[in-house]
């Protein structure tokens, strides 16, 4: 036991400084810088095309073979919308103050352009799989667009470690703790149920995950939104003051609480930016894995759909959590009585919901956590399967079978164990994954911009549903044969 502790401490001694350096001094600035570059390069597409994004998203349920654009959207949203939307926002508020919410919004707005670029690239360089569902994502566009398979393999390994293993354990841990707190159900029982439900879906493959996400995600998102709207309108007289507090605190002008001399703009920015990045995953390289599976006529269409996912995840769902907390009396009370102390983010959200809804609030949060986290586990499997198949193209089925068992094991272990070490390791893996993806995105951005230009040109000429013509690219020979190799093939989709 002492040996294990010594080894763990040695790993922490190396891992934590590296992870902290990547997140604090490289990734935050790289993500923001890339987002600003993409925003300017796309001529502020997040403002120009916002209405069109919404229309394309909610009219993309078209059936047919493979995965629909809406199913791909729901799958990526399932991964984005997890416990972080409930616990992460609360933690950002606790550490960074109300101003963190303002910077979270700003990060999300910039992230729309980043999400468009990466998901469009995922579509452009996708390949066709024998099961009739496309495969793609950063690993694929790194190899096909940049000719660097080794770099694509690195990305795939980082994603599998972070999303396929660590995050599945972390999500199941949160579910088990919430169910135990609300219904006094032992964590191991929740673990067994989760394993059974997860197996039921993931053994049906990526199509099964997409169908489950299409049904569950809209329901859970709408239910959470309706509860937040009820809280908002029930406290409508306090809303102007709340908004003023968010904006003032973002620039260091918030009122002092608990003896503090107001909020720090630096702390508010750091926590808001990180919360926004963790929440919507724009630039992380995860969503393109789902975006590439969509059966669409033009890559830019799915890029726009995935951009709108950032709106729903951060600007709507995360804001709902902030509203529930800031309009309750719990936040001010805790800030006054326990300033500077650590707190579990989900505890703050639960107590705020109880303040608004009574005992039903605790039950509602437990149910919300269950569905938010469960669908995240399903989407994480889909992401992992895509990247495992990339790593082992000749033995894809066998490799996916193994990753299924590993994910189910992590779901069970996560339900009953403390996963602090695994979660910290996942932070490092995700940081390396995002850095790899952003470098590739910056190099391949001209491709996505040409695709957007082609899409907008066709719409300007009156084409209701633009069809992609690969000739607009400088190197169409890099595309997978039979997918985008001719406008005729694109039209068949």
């Amino acid at each position: 036991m002492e040996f294990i502790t010594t080894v763990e401490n040695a790993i922490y001694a190396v891992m934590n400084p590296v992870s902290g350096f990547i997140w604090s001094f490289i990734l935050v600035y790289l993500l923001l810088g890339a987002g600003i570059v993409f925003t300017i390069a796309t001529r502020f597409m997040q403002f120009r095309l916002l209405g069109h994004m919404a229309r394309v998203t909610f009219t993309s349920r078209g059936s047919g073979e493979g995965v629909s654009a809406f199913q791909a959207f729901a799958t990526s949203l399932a991964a984005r919308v997890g416990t972080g939307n409930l616990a992460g926002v609360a933690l950002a508020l606790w550490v960074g103050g109300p101003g963190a919410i303002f910077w979270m919004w700003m990060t999300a707005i910039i992230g729309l352009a980043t999400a468009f670029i990466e998901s469009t690239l995922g579509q452009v360089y996708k390949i066709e799989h024998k099961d009739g569902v496309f495969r793609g994502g950063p690993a694929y566009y790194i190899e096909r667009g940049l000719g660097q398979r080794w770099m694509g393999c690195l990305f795939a390994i980082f994603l599998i470690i972070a999303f396929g293993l660590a995050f599945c354990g972390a999500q199941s841990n949160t579910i088990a703790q919430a169910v135990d707190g609300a219904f006094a159900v032992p964590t191991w029982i929740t673990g067994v149920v989760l394993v059974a439900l997860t197996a039921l879906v993931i053994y049906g493959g990526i199509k099964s995950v997409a169908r489950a996400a299409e049904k569950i995600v809209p329901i859970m998102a709408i239910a959470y939104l309706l509860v937040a709207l009820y809280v908002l309108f029930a406290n409508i007289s306090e809303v102007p003051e709340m908004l003023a507090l968010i904006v003032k605190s973002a620039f260091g002008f918030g009122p002092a609480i608990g003896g503090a001399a107001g909020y720090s703009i630096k702390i508010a920015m750091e926590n808001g930016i990180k919360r926004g990045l963790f929440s919507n995953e724009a630039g992380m390289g995860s969503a393109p894995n789902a975006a590439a599976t969509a059966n669409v006529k033009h890559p830019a269409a799915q890029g726009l759909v995935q951009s709108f996912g950032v709106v729903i995840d951060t600007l709507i769902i995360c804001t709902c959590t902030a509203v529930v907390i800031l309009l309750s009396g719990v936040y001010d009370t805790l800030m006054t009585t326990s300033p500077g102390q650590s707190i579990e983010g989900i505890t703050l959200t639960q107590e705020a919901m109880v303040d608004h809804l009574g005992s039903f609030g605790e039950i509602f949060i437990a149910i919300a956590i269950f569905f938010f986290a469960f669908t995240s586990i399903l989407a994480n499997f889909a992401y992992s399967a895509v990247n495992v198949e990339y790593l082992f193209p000749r033995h894809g089925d066998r490799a996916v079978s193994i990753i299924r068992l590993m994910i189910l094991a992590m779901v069970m272990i996560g339900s009953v164990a403390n996963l602090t070490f695994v979660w910290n390791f996942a932070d490092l893996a995700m940081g390396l994954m995002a850095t790899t993806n952003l470098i590739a995105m910056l190099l391949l951005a001209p491709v996505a911009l040409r695709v957007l230009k082609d899409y907008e040109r066709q719409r300007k000429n009156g084409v209701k549903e633009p069809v992609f013509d690969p000739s607009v690219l400088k190197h169409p020979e890099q595309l997978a044969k039979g997918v985008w190799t001719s406008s005729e093939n694109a039209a068949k989709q």
Side-chain angles (χ1 to χ4, degrees):
M1 191 69 179
E2 185 177 343
F3 173 74
I4 294 176
T5 303
T6 303
V7 172
E8 188 174 297
N9 289 337
I11 294 174
Y12 269 129
V14 175
M15 182 175 66
N16 286 354
V18 174
S19 182
F21 178 79
I22 290 172
W23 279 102
S24 300
F25 299 102
I26 297 178
L27 195 51
V28 168
Y29 299 105
L30 188 57
L31 277 163
L32 286 177
I36 292 170
V37 169
F38 297 147
T39 295
I40 295 171
T42 59
R43 296 180 294 119
F44 298 88
M45 53 82 64
Q46 57 265 69
F47 302 107
R48 294 189 300 109
L49 301 175
L50 183 60
H52 183 63
M53 284 181 205
R55 285 193 296 274
V56 173
T57 299
F58 296 114
T59 59
S60 58
R61 289 179 174 270
S63 57
E65 296 183 0
V67 173
S68 73
F70 187 81
Q71 286 175 331
F73 163 76
T75 301
S76 66
L77 194 61
R80 284 184 173 123
V81 180
T83 55
N85 294 77
L86 282 73
V89 174
L91 191 59
L93 275 169
W94 182 254
V95 179
I101 303 304
F102 175 87
W103 296 111
M104 181 186 75
W105 291 337
M106 296 301 103
T107 303
I109 290 171
I110 292 173
L112 263 72
T114 306
F116 171 81
I117 296 292
E118 64 177 353
S119 292
T120 298
L121 289 173
Q123 269 286 324
V124 169
Y125 292 102
K126 68 185 181 183
I127 63 171
E128 194 166 7
H129 193 265
K130 61 184 179 181
D131 64 0
V133 178
F134 294 110
R135 300 290 193 273
Y140 292 82
Y141 60 67
I142 287 171
E143 178 178 353
R144 292 181 171 275
L146 299 177
Q148 305 295 328
R149 179 168 172 79
W150 68 270
M151 189 176 174
C153 288
L154 276 181
F155 174 88
I157 292 169
F158 294 146
L159 181 141
I160 292 167
I161 291 172
F163 282 79
L165 301 177
F167 289 173
C168 285
Q171 298 286 3
S172 65
N173 184 270
T174 305
I175 292 174
Q177 296 301 323
V179 172
D180 182 32
F183 306 107
V185 176
T187 55
W188 71 268
I189 292 180
T190 301
V192 171
V193 173
L194 276 176
V195 168
L197 291 174
T198 303
L200 192 65
V201 178
I202 68 176
Y203 272 94
I206 293 178
K207 284 185 182 179
S208 180
V209 172
R211 287 193 294 267
E214 182 184 32
K215 292 178 174 63
I216 298 173
V217 170
I219 294 174
M220 71 180 190
I222 291 171
Y224 195 65
L225 175 61
L226 289 176
V227 170
L229 286 175
Y230 166 77
V231 171
L232 184 72
F233 286 111
N235 299 273
I236 194 69
S237 62
E238 300 174 33
V239 171
E241 184 180 350
M242 178 193 71
L243 293 174
L245 176 64
I246 289 173
V247 175
K248 289 179 180 178
S249 300
F251 298 97
F253 299 117
I257 289 184
Y263 295 109
S264 164
I265 182 172
K266 182 178 182 293
I267 294 176
M269 285 184 69
E270 285 181 356
N271 283 276
I273 290 170
K274 286 182 179 179
R275 177 63 257 146
L277 297 178
F278 275 124
S279 173
N280 59 58
E281 298 177 14
M284 294 289 181
S286 50
N289 295 277
T293 64
N295 196 352
V296 294
K297 294 181 179 179
H298 201 290
Q302 183 60 198
L304 293 169
V305 167
Q306 294 297 335
S307 287
F308 196 69
V310 176
V311 175
I312 294 177
D313 173 85
T314 306
L315 297 180
I316 294 179
I317 297 179
C318 285
T319 300
C320 286
T321 300
V323 165
V324 168
I325 294 172
L326 289 175
L327 290 179
S328 74
V330 173
Y331 179 74
D332 285 348
T333 299
L334 287 175
M335 286 296 291
T336 302
T337 59
S338 309
Q341 295 185 17
S342 62
I343 188 172
E344 291 289 336
I346 196 61
T347 301
L348 182 54
T349 306
Q350 284 176 321
E351 291 186 10
M353 194 66 81
V354 169
D355 186 64
H356 291 295
L357 304 177
S359 58
F360 172 73
E362 186 176 15
I363 296 173
F364 176 78
I365 287 296
I367 294 172
I369 287 172
F370 179 88
F371 284 110
F372 279 24
F374 176 63
T375 52
S376 288
I377 292 171
L378 300 183
N380 290 344
F381 159 73
Y383 292 172
S384 301
V386 168
N387 285 274
V388 164
E389 288 170 342
Y390 173 81
L391 290 172
F392 305 100
R394 294 183 181 179
H395 306 285
D397 291 343
R398 186 179 302 174
V400 171
S401 296
I402 293 173
I403 200 67
R404 279 194 184 101
L405 294 175
M406 293 175 69
I407 286 174
L408 292 176
M410 284 303 300
V411 169
M412 188 66 224
I413 292 169
S415 300
V416 298
N418 186 334
L419 295 178
T420 303
F421 174 79
V422 176
W423 183 255
N424 288 339
F425 189 63
D427 279 347
L428 174 60
M430 188 165 65
L432 293 169
M433 166 186 135
T435 302
T436 304
N437 180 53
L438 283 162
I439 292 171
M441 285 177 65
L442 288 166
L443 294 172
L444 290 171
V447 174
L449 295 174
R450 291 189 193 100
V451 173
L452 177 60
K453 186 177 180 181
D454 175 62
Y455 184 85
E456 293 199 90
R457 176 186 58 79
Q458 293 188 48
R459 286 191 65 232
K460 187 176 180 180
N461 291 336
V463 179
K464 187 175 180 181
E465 287 189 83
V467 176
F468 182 50
D469 180 4
S471 66
V472 303
L473 303 181
K474 283 187 176 181
H475 303 287
E477 71 278 1
Q478 295 174 330
L479 308 185
K481 186 177 180 180
V483 178
W484 297 118
T485 49
S486 72
S487 55
E488 180 183 353
N489 285 330
K492 288 179 182 178
Q493 297 190 60

